[in-house]
Each structure stands twice: as C-alpha cells, then as structure tokens.
Amino acid sequence: MGLLNTLLLIIFVGIVFSGIAVSTYLVGTEGKTRWLVYPVFCAICIGIFLFFKNTMNLNFLPWRNAYLILTFYVPVVCTLMAFIAIPKTSLKALKESIVPAVSIFAIGGILLMIF
C-alpha cells in the first residue's frame, strides 16, 4: 500500500467520522454556528465528489467509486439530520432563522442536481 493509498484511506475514514460529528452537532446543539458548520462540510464533500467524478487519473481509480458513494450520501444524511434540527417550535423562530432553511434546501437541490 503506497503513501497515496494510505492518505486516501485516512481521508475516507475522516469523512465518515466527520459526517457523524456534524450530524450529532446539528441535532445536539442550539447555537447558530451549527448552521455554518453544516454548509461548509457539505460543500467540501460535494467538492470531493465532483473531483472524483471528473478525474480519470489512474492513481485515484481504485478509490473512485467508494469516494463517489461516500461523498454523496454523507451530505444526504447530514441534510436529513438538518431537517430534524431546524426550529419547528414556532413560526416566529423559523422566520428569525431563515438561513438554515435556505441552506438545507440549497444543499438538497445541489445534491439532487448531481444525482
């Protein structure tokens, strides 16, 4: 196993654990920073997805399908968890925090487009 394969394995496992951490952070906290962490993490995953979708470098081919599956479904799970975390207690709370709803639907739309 070469250095590149080891690095790709570490990044692969890191994406999985980061996805679990972001999902837990979305549901478990009440701060506004969670709505900054979620779109940034999803943007990174979508960027990695697009990189592996458009690359034909022979060094990345063994990892291509695994990364395509992982970097697509981790943001999908985070988006579903964000639907759980969005404030639903009152209409006033939802109007005050319009950014979470917009980011959820924007990321969901991007995921549907690249699917």
Side-chain angles (χ1 to χ4, degrees), residues 1-8:
M1 200 168 182
L3 182 63
L4 180 64
N5 285 333
T6 305
L7 183 63
L8 287 172

Side-chain angles (χ1 to χ4, degrees), residues 11-105:
I11 293 170
F12 187 83
V13 172
I15 290 172
V16 172
F17 286 122
S18 297
I20 293 170
V22 168
S23 296
T24 306
Y25 185 67
L26 275 171
V27 175
T29 60
E30 289 294 325
K32 292 193 183 273
T33 58
R34 65 183 174 168
W35 301 113
L36 180 68
V37 171
Y38 160 69
V40 169
F41 176 72
C42 288
I44 291 169
C45 285
I46 291 170
I48 294 171
F49 176 86
L50 292 175
F51 171 76
F52 276 97
K53 185 176 181 182
N54 296 322
T55 189
M56 291 306 288
N57 189 342
L58 293 177
N59 294 329
F60 295 129
L61 284 181
W63 289 93
R64 185 171 187 238
N65 287 336
Y67 267 95
L68 287 176
I69 291 168
L70 182 78
T71 56
F72 180 79
Y73 285 110
V74 167
V76 168
V77 170
C78 286
T79 301
L80 294 175
M81 295 302 279
F83 275 122
I84 294 171
I86 198 165
K88 293 183 261 324
T89 54
S90 70
L91 192 57
K92 182 180 177 187
L94 187 58
K95 284 181 182 177
E96 289 175 356
S97 59
I98 195 70
V99 174
V102 170
S103 67
I104 290 170
F105 286 112

